[in-house]
Amino acid sequence: MGALALKDARMELKTTKEAKELLSKAAVLGGMDLSSFMLSAAMEKAREILLDHTSIQLSVQGQAQLAIVLQKPVAPTEAMKELRRTPRLKVRE
């Protein structure tokens, strides 16, 4: 998010006075206003969660096992054979 980004959406939240004071102190120490601090922290957490859900991490052993599985030819199942026998649909032009 750039410094000149157009801010065209608003978010609000309710919290306790204690939580707001804690967040405000942290924001000041981080050199930010409260809104920037909260948005920065929320964006960082959102990116972390999305990365966890969109990537796969394997150990060296897991990578080796995956490579072995991918190199083995797989015989088609009966369902796959049936699907191949299905007539192709005509594409409208």
Side-chain angles (χ1 to χ4, degrees):
M1 194 166 88
L4 299 176
L6 177 62
K7 296 178 181 176
D8 59 357
R10 181 174 182 83
M11 295 174 55
E12 295 183 33
L13 65 95
K14 291 274 191 181
T15 188
T16 63
K17 288 180 184 179
E18 293 81 13
K20 184 177 179 184
E21 287 175 11
L22 177 70
L23 293 166
S24 294
K25 287 178 184 178
V28 168
L29 291 172
M32 294 183 250
D33 61 68
L34 182 56
S35 293
S36 297
F37 177 79
M38 297 207 33
L39 184 58
S40 173
M43 294 290 288
E44 183 179 334
K45 186 65 177 178
R47 286 187 186 100
E48 178 185 315
I49 290 171
L50 291 172
L51 181 62
D52 285 347
H53 284 79
T54 57
S55 65
I56 299 172
Q57 296 179 353
L58 296 174
S59 64
V60 173
Q61 180 183 1
Q63 292 174 33
Q65 289 174 338
L66 178 60
I68 290 168
V69 168
L70 292 175
Q71 291 173 4
K72 290 181 184 176
V74 179
T77 64
E78 283 305 314
M80 292 167 77
K81 291 176 184 176
E82 180 67 29
L83 184 60
R84 293 205 63 204
R85 288 191 289 267
T86 304
R88 292 184 184 256
L89 298 175
K90 292 184 180 180
V91 177
R92 222 182 332 180
E93 294 181 28

